[in-house]
Amino acid sequence: MTPTHVSVLLEGRSFLEGPRWYAGRLWVSDLYLGEVLAVDPASGSAEVVAEVPGQPSGLGWLPDGRMLVVSMLDRHLLRQEPTGDLALHADLAGFCGGHLNDLVVDEHGRAYAGNFGFDLMAGETPRPTVLVRVDPDGTTSVAAKDLMFPNGSVILPAAGGGRTLVVAETFENRLTAFDIAGDGALVGQRIWADLSSGALRAPGLPADDRPTAPDGICADAEGAIWVADAFHNRVLRVREGGEVREEVPTGVETAYACALGGADGHTLFICTARSFLDDERRATRESRVLTCRVDIPAA
């Protein structure tokens, strides 16, 4: 089944990324305006909860409720204190071959953060980079190597009470999985879904044999992953092994990230824009958050 009714929750922004459902609101970063927003899902009204001049991206929360936010340009992971002030949680510049990007935070407060690996905006040739682990005390280490543009990440339950981290490798057109060991180490690297085929296309859309470019991702209660596909202006619901079960087209706007949430967990939030290049997007106010209802709720 492919949901077809898509609504606009938020518009008039520069470039929206890193959506998260937390504490009854949608939280999202506007990269080029340097703002983290908390959006009311009923009215669409947005509150600026943090200002990040270094360009905010991935968001997460420590067990005590303090927010972590990526500052892309200076490669810093920031922590918001109860006062609202931002403090340096970890300096990751030594690990990054390009901008710091998205992240996921586990139940222990360990953050796993990806980076571009090269200068995307200058058109450099893509090269492998690392996924960085940041412990709750700010200690940093390499969690995984040789990833091609590690982007959106999720943590799924695994057999025996374990956890699996899945990360989108945008420039390898795949989702890659790791088991999370008891000490937080990532082991057992494997391909969770090969998305090198364009796969399903919604009725009425032209054929397109380009590979899927997985950007932001989120997981549902059946262990499937919704993938924002930056090549085909859509989000896909993908099962482990690569089977595409559903598709939501986003029209002329590219889908860069997605999140599941809402009061009952059945709302899919999709961040869209006409392009991602900073010299094209910085002066525009065309980025939006779209929503649609889905059958399977958030994990």
Side-chain angles (χ1 to χ4, degrees), residues 118-136:
F118 62 99
D119 192 339
L120 175 66
M121 302 303 174
E124 281 189 356
T125 300
R127 56 179 179 267
T129 188
V130 301
L131 193 68
V132 182
R133 169 182 157 189
V134 182
D135 288 341

Side-chain angles (χ1 to χ4, degrees), residues 19 26 45 48 52 70 80 145 187 192 238 247 252 275 285 292:
L26 179 74
S45 61
V48 177
V52 182
V70 162
Q80 189 172 47
K145 299 179 180 179
V187 298
W192 195 89
V238 180
E247 175 177 5
V252 298
S275 71
R285 300 295 180 267
C292 71

Side-chain angles (χ1 to χ4, degrees), residues 7 45 70 100 139-140 144 179 211 258 269 291-293:
S7 302
S45 61
V70 162
L100 193 61
T139 301
T140 58
D179 299 319
C258 55
F269 301 93
T291 70
C292 71
R293 298 286 292 171

Side-chain angles (χ1 to χ4, degrees), residues 158-188:
R163 295 288 186 271
T164 298
L165 185 147
V166 180
V167 58
E169 287 190 79
T170 304
F171 282 83
E172 283 288 2
N173 314 109
R174 67 190 182 194
L175 304 180
T176 298
F178 302 85
D179 299 319
I180 304 177
D183 63 357
L186 300 185
V187 298

Side-chain angles (χ1 to χ4, degrees), residues 20 44 48-49 54 64-65 73 100 108 119 136 147 151 156 164 211 256 267 290 299:
R20 305 286 188 269
V48 177
V49 295
D64 62 10
L73 301 184
L100 193 61
H108 303 290
D119 192 339
L147 301 176
N151 207 329
L156 302 175
T164 298
Y256 288 104
T267 299
L290 308 180

